[in-house]
Amino acid sequence: MAEHLEELDDALAETRDKKRYRDKGIRRTALKTMLGEVEFSRRVYVAEDGAGMKEYVYLLDEVLGIDTPGQISPMLSEMVATAACESTYRETARQVSELTGQTISHQTAWSITQEAGGRIRAREETLAAQAQQNRGTGNLESKILYEEADGIWLKLQGKDRKAYGSSKEMKAAIAYSGVKENGERRRLADKVACAGFEGVEDFISRKEGVIASVYRVDEIDLRILNGDGAKWISAHKDAAAIYQLDPFHRNRAIREYVDDPELQDLMIDLLYAKDIDKLLAVIEASVNSTLEPDEQEKRQRLFAYFSNNKEGLVPYYRRGVKIPRVNEGLAPARCGSMESNIFTLIGNRMKGRRACWSVGGADN
């Protein structure tokens, strides 16, 4: 491999723009790869950047795509970044070092993750700009698109803790075309996902960019938007979208805010009967049917929660609206997968274990 790399460097030296890149000699280096550590020589060039300042360039590194800390090959960098999504940086360094025989420090694992996260963020911002100009690159056609969104609060550290408080909500969204059933197992088909700490408008824009990079959005006839009632979710649905309150959060609210089992059953029955006005009347009347101040307060909170999400209490598939067919081989989705995705995408790695984050580090 060293011979091949040096031959490629020689070819680049011959074909380079010699007026732009001035040869400053050969430097020895070592590249960490899945095969082991490869020692070789390559040329360093001096050039001017856009501001007229001198910069040193390794053309071979650019061709190989080596732009991560510590002279690490792209394949090994990908392994590190993937492992860092599941384990702490120290554990990632230990696992990768044992598996490859390379010496990877936890600081190198952190640096690789920051570089990879920044690169993905830049790509998603480009996709968002393309989507706003109706220039999405997606080719997948689906008449219906299921979207789910939720948030998870993560603990902050350092200066971000002083700026935002002890914690901050990370928003997350997924979109998929239906459910793929394989025996007892079910998975979301053609799923895309994004997450971040940024403001609502920027997050929605980035989410739309990610969707438009996979789906032909102009072919979508109906979007199903499933959320927990947060305003940042329901306030940004378009005319082609139906909003429903997430069944998990809806049913959990009844169990948490009402301690009377019979009253719980009555509320569930009214939900199933789609008699939302009567359901709200029952909740409102139940506030004064108990003498416990705590119970009154909880039932008032339930009444406010359901009143604010009145249009989403009945599942979309029970509203009598025309629902487009899903693609061949898929089954329609009832939604309600976001709680699981919040855990697998974010919570399992980033919440608990006394983990604290900077805003930028958590985003990456």
Side-chain angles (χ1 to χ4, degrees), residues 253-273:
I254 293 177
R255 293 192 299 270
E256 287 187 353
Y257 294 146
V258 178
D259 64 347
D260 184 342
E262 291 185 1
L263 187 55
Q264 289 179 0
D265 291 341
L266 174 60
M267 292 178 182
I268 293 293
D269 289 342
L270 291 173
L271 271 175
Y272 187 78

Side-chain angles (χ1 to χ4, degrees), residues 4-42:
H4 173 73
L5 292 173
E6 289 173 356
E7 289 175 1
L8 178 57
D9 190 58
D10 291 339
L12 291 171
E14 291 297 323
T15 57
R16 77 183 194 280
D17 183 349
K18 296 181 180 180
K19 292 182 179 180
R20 180 181 179 186
Y21 298 104
R22 287 187 291 138
D23 192 337
K24 301 298 289 184
I26 292 176
R27 303 288 189 274
R28 292 289 293 176
T29 190
L31 177 66
K32 296 180 185 294
T33 74
M34 300 287 288
L35 305 176
E37 197 166 277
V38 180
E39 294 185 0
F40 63 100
S41 299
R42 87 274 203 230

Side-chain angles (χ1 to χ4, degrees), residues 3-4 22 47 54 81 128 137 174 342 361:
E3 290 179 1
H4 173 73
R22 287 187 291 138
K54 287 185 179 180
T137 58
I174 61 173
I342 278 285

Side-chain angles (χ1 to χ4, degrees), residues 4-5 52 62 68 121 129 193 198 237 240 268 292 310-311:
H4 173 73
L5 292 173
E62 293 184 354
T68 54
R121 169 57 63 97
E198 70 264 58
K237 67 182 183 68
I268 293 293
E292 295 290 335
K310 182 178 179 180
E311 66 166 307

Side-chain angles (χ1 to χ4, degrees), residues 218-231:
D218 55 341
E219 297 292 331
I220 299 172
D221 291 337
L222 180 65
R223 291 188 178 201
I224 307 300
L225 180 58
N226 184 83
D228 64 354
K231 290 183 178 180

